[in-house]
Every structure is written in C-alpha cells, then in structure tokens.
Amino acid sequence: MKMHKFLQFLNQQLTHWRRQYKTLRRKGKLMRSSKSKTHRRELLRTMLKNVFLFLSKTNEKSERRKQERVLRSKAKSVNIKSSICTVGLNWAYKQRYSVILAIAVVSLTGIIGHKLYNQTQIKIGHPAPQTITAPYTASIEDQKKTEAERKAVSTSSLQVLMLNARINEKINENLQQLLDDGNEIRAVAGAFPFFDPVVLSISTQRYLRSCSESEWQALLSAVENSKNQQQKRIGQTTPAAPNQKRQPRTTSKSNSQSLEKTQPVDFSQNTDFTQAVAELESYRLTTSEKSLSLVIAEISQTRQRYIQATAKLLKLETVTPEAVYEESLLLDLSDVEWEKTQIGIHQSIERILTQGIPQGLPKNILQDAVSLQLQTFVPESAETLAKNLLLAVLKPNLQKDEEQTRQNAQKAAAGVPPVMVKVRQGEVIVKKGAQITAWDFEVLEHYHLIRREVKWQELVKLGGVIAIAIGIFVWVERHIDYELRQRDRLLVLLLTLSVPGVIVIGLPYTTWSALGLLLGSFYGPTLGLTVVGLLWPILGISLDMSKAALLAGVGGGILGNYIAHRLRSREELALLGVAIALTQGGIYLFVKILIGQVFGSTWYIVFQEAGLFALSGLGWSVIALGLSPYLEKVFDLVTPIRLAELANPNRPLLKRLATETPGTFQHTLLVATLAEAAAKELGCNVELVRAGTLYHDIGKMHDPLGFIENQMGGPNKHDTEIKDPWKSAEIIKKHVTEGLVMARKHLLPTAIQAFIPEHQGTMLIAYFHHQAQQMAQSDPSLTVDDADFRYDGPIPQSRETGIVMLADSCEAALRSLQASAKSVGEKRSVKDVSTEQALAMLNNILRAKWQDNQLVDSGLKREEMSQIAQIFVDVWEQFHHKRIAYPKLKASSTGRNS
C-alpha cells in the first residue's frame, strides 16, 4: 500500500517535471551555460525536496497510526480496569451495610487491642525456650541497679524546708495574747516602784508590797517602838500586842493573807524586814512624822492592789494551759524591766522564727536556743519569765518544700552514672529451661533477641466480643423508630472510635461527654445509651485505665445522652455541658472517697484530678457543640435545634417566600398549623413537620401568578394567557422540581427536601385533567394521558410527609368551605356550616387519598384517618370561631348616630 502511494506520487512528480523541462527547453534555458547549470541544480533540488517531503509525511502518518493504536490499547485496558472498579464499587454499594459492620469490627478491634500487636514471646519469669548466647561483646546498662542507686541517692538527698507563714502568724498572735494578759495584771497591781527608789530601795519596795500581813504588822510596831526608843537597835524583837492575831505568809501562789491566832514571831533575823525598818526610820529622821505616815498609807494601798493582782494571776493560771505566770516574777519586775522584757521577747522570737524550728527538734535544744537568744535582749531578772513565755508559744514552723525537694532529688539522681555490665561474645545469657530474670530480659532486649509477635488469639477473642456488642447495637437499631442510613452508622462508628482513640494516645480525659452529647442530640437517648453501655465494659476489660476515670466518663456520657435530645437551643446545650462537667468531677471524687484515697496524704492530688475531669467534661462538651453544626451539614442530620433554626422566618428562603408569594406563605402557615396539631397527637416529630411544611411549596416562587392563592383576585393566567391544560399542568408540576432545585441550592437537609415532592406524591392535578378531558371530547385528535397530569412522586415515605400531604389538601378544602359559607350571606353562620360539613368533607378527602394509594408507604394507619380529620376540624374552628353580630347603625337626619 505504501509502495503504491509512493509510485503514484512519483508518477505525478515526473509528469510535472517533464512539463517544466519542455517549458525550459523552449525558452532555451537548458543550454550549456552557467545559468542553465543553475536551473538544473534548482530542478534537482526541487525533485529531492519533494521526495523527502513525501517520505516524511509517510513516516508521520505511520507514527500517528502507531500512537492511535497505543491509545486504543490503553483505552481498552482502562475500560477493562474501570469496568472492574465499577463492578467492585457496585458490589460494595450493594453490600454497604455488611461492609460498614465489618469496618466497625476491624477498626474497634484494631484500636482497642493495640497492645496485642507487639507482644514478646519471651517474658520475665517464663522458662527460656533454648540456650541463648551473646552474639558480640557489649556493655549493657543494668537498669535495676542503676535505678536502685539513683533511688538511694534521691532518698538520702536533703529535704528543702520552707517557713510556714500561717504558723508564724499564729505564734505571734498567741505570744501577744500572753503579753496582753501580763499587762492587764500589772495594771491592776499599779506602777512599780511605787515610791522613790532613793528613799526606799527596789528590793525594800518589793518586800513591803508582797510580805505577809503579820510581817507588815510587826514592821509597823517596830517603827512605832523606834520612835519612843531612839537608842534601841533596829533588829530588836517587837512583842505582839495582847490577844493580837498574827498572819504568817501563805505558801499559795496568790500570796493571799489570812489572820491566825499565833504566838509572837521574831522577824529580826529577816534581812528584808530589818532593811525595810531601817529605811523607814531613816526616812522619818530626814523628813517628818507626817511624811512617814503618808508613805505607810501609800504602802498599804499598794499592798491591797498587789493582793488583787495576785488573785487575778492565780485565776489566769487555772484557765490557761501554759502556766507561764506561775510565780510572782511578773509583778516583781519594774516597769522599765517589763518594757525591756517585752521588746526583747519580740526580738528573740523574730530571730528564732526566721531561723526556723523543724519538726522533731528535741526540747532541750529548743530551750538552749531560747536561753541563748534571751541573754542578749532581756534583762537578767526577767530571763526565766521570758523563757517560759517563748516556750509556751513556740512550735515547729518549717514544712517540707515538696517541689524543691523533688527537684533536688531528681538532680541528685540524674548525677548518678548508669551501672554498666560488660557481656562478652559467646557468653551464655540464659540456658534452656532456666527462668528468665529481669536482667536476662534486658540483655536479650539489647541484642534484639526478644521475639515479638501479634497475639492473634487474643485479637480474635476481642473481635468476637466487639462483634457481639455490634450485634446488640444492630438489634437495638432495628427496634427503634429512627431508621439509620449508612452515613449515620459511619458517624456513630467515628464517634465511638474517638473514645478509645484518645485513650490510646495517652490522654485519660477522653471524649465520653462529647460522645453522649452528640449521639443523644442526633439519634435520641436509646441509641446513645446503647453505645455508651456497650463500650463501657469493653474498655474496662481491654484497656489499663483507672476505674474511677472510666466511671466518671461514663456518667457524663449517660447524662449527655439522656438530656441532649430534649433541648431546643444551643444555650441549653451549653448549660448541659456544665452539668456534665460537674457530674464527671463529682463521680470521680465520690469513687475516690469510697476507696479511701481522699483521706490519705495525697488528698490534694485527688481533688486536683477531680477538677481536671470536670474541666475535661466541659472542654469536650464545648468541642462537641462546635462540631455539631458541621456534622449536621456533612452527614445530613436534622436535630431539634437545627430544625428550630430552619423554621426561623428570617431565613433567606422563607423571607423570599413571604415577599414574592404572600398567598402561598399564608397557605403554608395554615398547613403548618394543621400538620403540627396532627403530628403532636400522633406522636410524630413535630419540629420536623413544622420545618418541612414551611419549605414544602418554595417551588411556587418560580411562577407565583401560576397559582391562584397569589393572584389576589386578579385574572387567572391559565384562563387568559395559557389556555392549555397540558401547559398549565406542567407549570403546576414544576413547583416540585423547582422547589428541589432551590432546596439543594440552599443546602436544606434531605429530610426537609423530602416534603417537597412527597407532599404531592403522585396525585392527579384534577382541575386541568378535567379541562383536558373536556377538550378531548370536543376534539377527537387530542389524547389525554393521566401521566401528564400526575405529579412525579414519590408518595410519602414517612408519617410526617403523609400528614403534610393530608394537611395541604384539607387546608384548601377548608378554605373553599369558608368561602362558600361567606357567599351564603348572613342566613347561616360559619358555625352552622363548619362542624358537620367540614368533618364529612375532610373524611372524604382522606378516604380518597387512601384509596388512591398515596399513603401506603407513609406508615399512617387507616384508623388514624378519622382522628386526623377531627384534629384538622378542631384547629380550623379555633381559627374561624363565631363572633358577636353587631347591630347595624342608621344615620339620623342630624348626622349623628341614633
């Protein structure tokens, strides 16, 4: 074939060249000259060029044919592959339910049983299957010894102590209270010294104030006798008056005095007595007898105040556990000494508390430290009293700084080098049959001689348990009113996988609250409780997790499941999240209280964990609320909250419906009222009926004037412009198709979109069908096909759409009945017409729908038809109740009402 074309082309070229040759010859250009040679070369070049072009074209065609053959073979293989893929996808689609169940079993088993993938055949405590030797020399860390040494260093590390400010404050408060008590007692005793120390020494004043009554009387007698006998020595014995009652010094702490009948007592051997008499005698000699009398009177008053102070001191000692004022040291101090003592005590205790008192400090060491401090700041005479005060209030004020101590222990442990053991090549690690120790296991692990395997048997057991749980879920699913789609089952699986998935990651605060809240909101409490109830024991058995944490999560999930479906706003769901948080934290704390962990030293850790579980419940609830709108969109779900949002009249589509088709919008509201009442009585989804009804006629916006309710009494375009029942029927039918287009454009849920075609089902457009039949009777060439006047369907597939179909038909009939009642005039009231006629008419309409097989797939029952008709009539009567007839008023001749 190629040769034939080549020869044909060559023949044509030769004929062309021969003609050129004859022309050139006639012109004399082929003579032997330089020009003729040039022409001959051009002719030869042209010939060769043409031959080359032909050959190149031939090669291009052959290459093109080869490429076409390759493309055809590739297309054929692609078609074969695509056909295989198509067959596989078709099979997967037909078996999608079984595929999803298989995916559920495999995925749940894979995530929950993740620990079974990399299990060792050789385990600590088991006999070795064979003798194993070291393949090469290596230094291996003995982790057990290393850990023991680091633990020992960590334990022996010094504890870091910190001052407890609360204890210091309490110590200072107690000390100040004791000092206030001392000041109060000294205020009762009065100032000391009470007289000029130059005249009466401090020791004498102290003696005169505290001596017994007998000594005081003896002293007064001695001073009186010395007045009469100037030559007599001061220490001479003074006889007591006849029948005089002498009072010896009592031994009680209050130094209270009492008069007793005793023999005369000689006090001349008492140096305090002798010194006091001498100083009083000296004062009398230097001043006057009157001055001495005043001094004696002042001493007597001071003695009375001292007795009162002593009694108060005794009473304080019986009330206060710390007997710091058990002796008269407090009253023996002068005012200056007492002031210095208080200042010194404060300075001493400040230094002692700043240095800190540790727990378990021996008492003698504390006493020595207090004495050492007081020597610097307190007068010597007051050291004993100050020491008693400080020892009464001081207590350990140093506590362990847990965080700093832990950090120091960690640093100390980190500084310990690992204990390395050298294992030589060929050395026996473990003999056959010998029990494998922890060290043997470490050596085998270092040499990668630990054989790991997948525990298939355990995985199969776990898969069987999960398969049984999924079987229970399937049984529950088939016994609830809500019918799950494949996408719903996939969403339930994904939400379920989130719980063990978070645990596998290592986070104990898992997604129980989000699982319960979303499942309860999307599918109701029954399905959600089933998932939580089945997942609970599986996770408790298969995963190593705290039982308190598991119970807390399950409690939050159950609460979310049970309540979420009842809520109708995002705000209520947010409050439910707070309730879930409190529930999780409360359950965790309650379980810890039951097992007694709250009463140990780690009680604060338990409360911290309870707070974290509460916060996790709130956090996952917030995440669930944030994901809910997206999941509703992606998985085409309708929740009560979303239905309430869709039923909002401010939605763009509903605002357009009210603006562009006001008659249709009013009709929609009336149909919604009827359908809601019936749905509530029959136990259907009222929110779904409400939202679906509002959107069921949105397709009428494509041609508002094509529907009589929007013509507002104007001309009917079907009678004036179209005048063709077939075209009119197409316009009427088109509101279904256009409505679906609008619904998809505005991303309405499938459950809402179902109301658009199903509320008409496959009903006959009777008005235009009748017109077509009349035209066919007058024109035999016309043929009436019922399919041209029937909606494309489908018929109602749920009770909700079936109710809306009935409400849509009955609303138009009730409206026409109302119009006919008004046309009768005032002869009959609406009440006279509505009850019996309306109920009979609605029963006929519902019977016709039933007989036309429009409700066979809806789930509505035949006996419910009369109930629905009665509900519709009751609602209609509430709208069109009887009103009072007002009398007509006639205008008088004066222009005023008569």
Side-chain angles (χ1 to χ4, degrees):
M1 189 68 181
K2 292 179 181 180
M3 183 59 67
H4 176 71
K5 290 183 177 180
F6 175 73
L7 293 174
Q8 185 178 2
F9 172 76
L10 187 59
N11 186 27
Q12 292 175 357
Q13 290 297 323
L14 289 173
T15 303
H16 176 68
W17 292 336
R18 188 167 55 251
R19 289 173 183 173
Q20 286 185 343
Y21 175 78
K22 289 180 180 181
T23 303
L24 293 173
R25 186 175 181 182
R26 283 196 303 270
K27 293 180 179 180
K29 293 182 179 181
L30 292 177
M31 297 177 66
R32 295 187 180 275
S33 63
S34 59
K35 291 184 178 181
S36 63
K37 289 181 179 179
T38 303
H39 287 297
R40 282 196 298 269
R41 282 197 299 270
E42 290 180 358
L43 180 60
L44 183 60
R45 190 181 298 113
T46 303
M47 291 173 61
L48 293 175
K49 183 179 181 181
N50 290 332
V51 172
F52 178 75
L53 288 174
F54 173 78
L55 293 176
S56 63
K57 288 181 179 180
T58 305
N59 290 333
E60 288 178 0
K61 290 181 180 179
S62 63
E63 289 296 329
R64 192 179 299 112
R65 290 193 186 95
K66 288 182 181 179
Q67 291 178 2
E68 290 175 355
R69 285 197 299 271
V70 172
L71 290 175
R72 281 197 298 270
S73 63
K74 287 184 178 179
K76 186 176 181 180
S77 63
V78 170
N79 290 334
I80 294 172
K81 292 180 179 179
S82 63
S83 62
I84 294 173
C85 292
T86 303
V87 172
L89 291 175
N90 289 335
W91 178 85
Y93 180 76
K94 292 179 182 178
Q95 303 294 328
R96 58 190 183 280
Y97 186 58
S98 302
V99 170
I100 290 179
L101 291 180
I103 291 174
V105 173
V106 172
S107 58
L108 284 171
T109 304
I111 292 179
I112 298 176
H114 69 285
K115 291 186 177 180
L116 302 175
Y117 300 151
N118 196 23
Q119 295 291 315
T120 59
Q121 292 182 350
I122 298 177
K123 296 183 177 180
I124 299 175
H126 290 195
Q130 62 184 27
T131 301
I132 305 175
T133 58
Y136 54 87
T137 302
S139 294
I140 304 173
E141 179 187 356
D142 190 338
Q143 296 182 1
K144 186 176 181 180
K145 291 183 179 179
T146 302
E147 186 65 26
E149 290 189 7
R150 289 176 176 173
K151 186 176 182 180
V153 171
S154 176
T155 305
S156 61
S157 62
L158 295 177
Q159 293 184 356
V160 179
L161 301 177
M162 57 184 289
L163 293 173
N164 192 323
R166 292 177 57 188
I167 295 179
N168 288 351
E169 184 179 353
K170 186 66 176 177
I171 290 174
N172 287 320
E173 288 179 359
N174 294 338
L175 176 63
Q176 188 60 45
Q177 181 63 41
L178 289 177
L179 293 177
D180 291 343
D181 292 340
N183 288 326
E184 184 178 352
I185 293 172
R186 287 181 61 88
V188 173
F192 185 78
F194 55 85
F195 200 73
D196 187 2
V198 177
V199 178
L200 294 176
S201 64
I202 298 294
S203 59
T204 299
Q205 293 187 45
R206 184 180 295 116
Y207 170 75
L208 292 174
R209 188 178 63 168
S210 60
C211 66
S212 64
E213 182 65 21
S214 60
E215 288 181 276
W216 173 244
Q217 294 297 330
L219 188 145
L220 293 178
S221 299
V223 172
E224 183 66 22
N225 292 334
S226 65
K227 175 182 177 182
N228 299 323
Q229 301 175 3
Q230 294 291 334
Q231 305 300 326
K232 193 176 182 178
R233 299 180 62 183
I234 297 176
Q236 187 177 358
T237 304
T238 304
N243 299 327
Q244 182 181 2
K245 297 181 179 179
R246 305 183 64 86
Q247 302 288 337
R249 185 170 184 175
T250 61
T251 59
S252 64
K253 294 181 180 179
S254 62
N255 292 322
S256 59
Q257 313 297 328
S258 59
L259 298 177
E260 298 179 358
K261 294 180 179 181
T262 58
Q263 297 296 326
V265 179
D266 185 8
F267 295 104
S268 60
Q269 302 301 322
N270 189 339
T271 56
D272 292 335
F273 178 88
T274 304
Q275 183 178 354
V277 171
E279 290 182 1
L280 289 175
E281 285 290 335
S282 175
Y283 180 70
R284 186 180 64 179
L285 293 175
T286 56
T287 56
S288 62
E289 192 68 31
K290 184 178 181 180
S291 299
L292 178 62
S293 300
L294 293 175
V295 169
I296 292 174
E298 184 176 354
I299 295 173
S300 298
Q301 293 177 358
T302 302
R303 286 177 55 80
Q304 294 298 322
R305 288 197 295 268
Y306 184 81
I307 292 172
Q308 294 175 3
T310 305
K312 187 161 187 167
L313 181 62
L314 180 62
K315 182 178 180 181
L316 179 64
E317 292 175 1
T318 59
V319 175
T320 307
E322 300 88 356
V324 295
Y325 298 125
E326 57 186 7
E327 296 182 6
S328 61
L329 293 176
L330 174 66
L331 300 177
D332 290 344
L333 297 176
S334 66
D335 291 347
V336 175
E337 289 176 330
W338 174 244
E339 187 66 27
K340 291 181 179 180
T341 300
Q342 293 186 83
I343 296 174
I345 288 174
H346 282 296
Q347 292 176 340
S348 300
I349 199 169
E350 183 179 358
R351 295 186 65 178
I352 292 173
L353 294 181
T354 302
Q355 294 174 356
I357 304 173
Q359 295 284 349
L361 184 68
K363 188 175 182 180
N364 61 331
I365 295 179
L366 180 61
Q367 291 175 351
D368 294 342
V370 170
S371 299
L372 186 63
Q373 293 291 340
L374 292 175
Q375 288 176 2
T376 307
F377 301 106
V378 176
E380 184 178 359
S381 59
E383 286 185 9
T384 304
L385 175 62
K387 183 177 180 180
N388 292 338
L389 284 170
L390 290 180
L391 291 177
V393 297
L394 286 177
K395 61 179 64 175
N397 67 334
L398 290 177
Q399 64 180 16
K400 184 179 179 181
D401 189 341
E402 299 287 347
E403 182 63 23
Q404 194 64 36
T405 301
R406 183 181 61 81
Q407 291 180 2
N408 288 352
Q410 289 179 349
K411 290 180 181 179
V416 177
V419 179
M420 306 300 293
V421 178
K422 190 173 184 179
V423 180
R424 301 185 179 277
Q425 182 179 2
E427 183 179 343
V428 176
I429 300 174
V430 62
K431 293 183 178 180
K432 182 179 180 179
Q435 190 176 18
I436 297 174
T437 63
W439 167 245
D440 296 335
F441 190 85
E442 288 183 21
V443 176
L444 293 173
E445 184 71 22
H446 177 81
Y447 286 115
H448 303 289
L449 297 176
I450 300 296
R451 300 175 183 176
R452 298 188 178 274
E453 63 178 353
V454 178
K455 297 293 184 180
W456 292 108
Q457 187 176 1
E458 299 297 328
L459 279 174
V460 170
K461 290 180 181 179
L462 179 61
V465 173
I466 292 175
I468 293 173
I470 292 176
I472 297 173
F473 172 81
V474 172
W475 182 85
V476 173
E477 175 196 338
R478 293 179 176 177
H479 286 77
I480 61 176
D481 296 333
Y482 193 93
E483 183 177 357
L484 295 184
R485 303 160 297 174
Q486 303 307 326
R487 66 183 69 184
D488 296 324
R489 298 186 181 96
L490 180 61
L491 178 58
V492 172
L493 174 61
L494 292 176
L495 294 176
T496 305
L497 288 173
S498 68
V499 178
V502 173
I503 297 175
V504 168
I505 293 174
L507 186 65
Y509 315 109
T510 190
T511 61
W512 286 107
S513 57
L515 174 69
L517 197 149
L518 291 175
L519 287 181
S521 179
F522 293 161
Y523 306 113
T526 303
L527 202 65
L529 289 174
T530 301
V531 173
V532 174
L534 292 174
L535 195 60
W536 175 14
I538 294 176
L539 295 184
I541 295 172
S542 304
L543 297 179
D544 297 331
M545 59 182 305
S546 169
K547 299 301 182 288
L550 182 63
L551 289 173
V554 170
I558 291 175
L559 179 65
N561 263 309
Y562 188 71
I563 299 179
H565 198 67
R566 303 180 180 183
L567 305 183
R568 295 296 183 268
S569 67
R570 307 282 181 191
E571 181 181 1
E572 292 177 340
L573 284 177
L575 293 176
L576 176 59
V578 176
I580 290 174
L582 295 176
T583 300
Q584 288 196 175
I587 291 177
Y588 183 86
L589 185 60
F590 179 73
V591 173
K592 290 296 183 179
I593 291 175
L594 287 181
I595 61 179
Q597 289 191 7
V598 176
F599 308 106
S601 59
T602 59
W603 61 269
Y604 61 93
I605 298 179
V606 174
F607 279 94
Q608 179 182 353
E609 285 294 320
L612 290 175
F613 269 97
L615 289 176
S616 71
L618 180 60
W620 285 117
S621 299
V622 171
I623 293 174
L625 290 176
L627 289 176
S628 180
Y630 300 101
L631 294 177
E632 291 171 1
K633 290 278 188 181
V634 173
F635 290 91
D636 192 23
L637 298 167
V638 286
T639 61
I641 295 175
R642 191 180 183 195
L643 291 174
E645 293 171 350
L646 289 172
N648 188 340
N650 291 319
R651 302 283 293 192
L653 208 53
L654 296 182
K655 290 178 72 173
R656 279 187 57 198
L657 184 66
T659 304
E660 299 176 15
T661 57
T664 300
F665 186 69
Q666 292 300 321
H667 157 76
T668 298
L669 294 180
L670 293 175
V671 173
T673 303
L674 295 174
E676 276 189 89
K680 185 176 181 180
E681 288 294 329
L682 297 179
C684 299
N685 191 335
V686 179
E687 291 85 0
L688 179 60
V689 169
R690 173 72 176 174
T693 308
L694 291 176
Y695 290 93
H696 82 286
D697 270 347
I698 57 175
K700 292 183 178 181
M701 287 189 288
H702 86 283
D703 189 1
L705 296 179
F707 302 89
I708 192 169
E709 67 264 20
N710 298 314
Q711 294 170 3
M712 303 300 179
N716 191 336
K717 64 184 294 185
H718 296 283
D719 297 333
T720 58
E721 299 178 12
I722 302 174
K723 299 179 181 179
D724 185 349
W726 281 269
K727 292 183 179 179
S728 297
E730 283 297 324
I731 293 174
I732 300 301
K733 290 170 63 176
K734 199 173 182 180
H735 90 275
V736 172
T737 56
E738 290 294 327
L740 288 173
V741 171
M742 293 180 185
R744 295 188 185 106
K745 182 179 179 181
H746 287 79
L747 302 177
L748 294 182
T750 303
I752 300 297
Q753 294 181 24
F755 284 84
I756 297 173
E758 292 180 19
H759 86 278
Q760 295 291 359
T762 58
M763 290 192 302
L764 187 68
I765 305 175
Y767 182 80
F768 295 112
H769 181 262
H770 180 67
Q771 278 190 356
Q773 285 180 334
Q774 288 181 339
M775 292 176 65
Q777 289 177 1
S778 59
D779 186 359
S781 63
L782 297 176
T783 303
V784 178
D785 187 359
D786 288 353
D788 295 336
F789 296 91
R790 281 191 178 273
Y791 290 97
D792 296 329
I795 61 176
Q797 301 296 306
S798 65
R799 291 166 63 86
E800 287 78 12
T801 55
I803 290 173
V804 173
M805 169 187 273
L806 299 178
D808 186 63
S809 301
C810 293
E811 190 277 332
L814 290 172
R815 188 158 23 91
S816 63
L817 181 63
Q818 178 66 18
S820 64
K822 288 182 179 179
S823 65
V824 174
E826 299 181 358
K827 295 181 179 179
R828 293 190 302 170
S829 66
V830 176
K831 184 68 177 178
D832 297 332
V833 177
S834 62
T835 305
E836 294 80 9
Q837 290 186 356
L839 187 58
M841 182 177 62
L842 296 191
N843 279 319
N844 290 334
I845 293 173
L846 269 56
R847 189 183 303 110
K849 293 290 184 290
W850 185 268
Q851 292 174 354
D852 194 22
N853 294 325
Q854 298 294 320
L855 302 171
V856 292
D857 295 337
S858 66
L860 294 173
K861 300 177 182 179
R862 179 66 183 88
E863 55 269 20
E864 291 176 335
M865 296 297 105
S866 58
Q867 183 182 358
I868 293 173
Q870 184 62 53
I871 294 170
F872 288 168
V873 171
D874 293 341
V875 174
W876 180 72
E877 284 183 338
Q878 292 173 9
F879 274 94
H880 303 285
H881 54 274
K882 185 177 180 181
R883 294 181 178 274
I884 298 174
Y886 290 95
K888 292 186 177 180
L889 302 178
K890 296 181 180 181
S892 63
S893 58
T894 59
R896 293 182 299 175
N897 293 335
S898 57

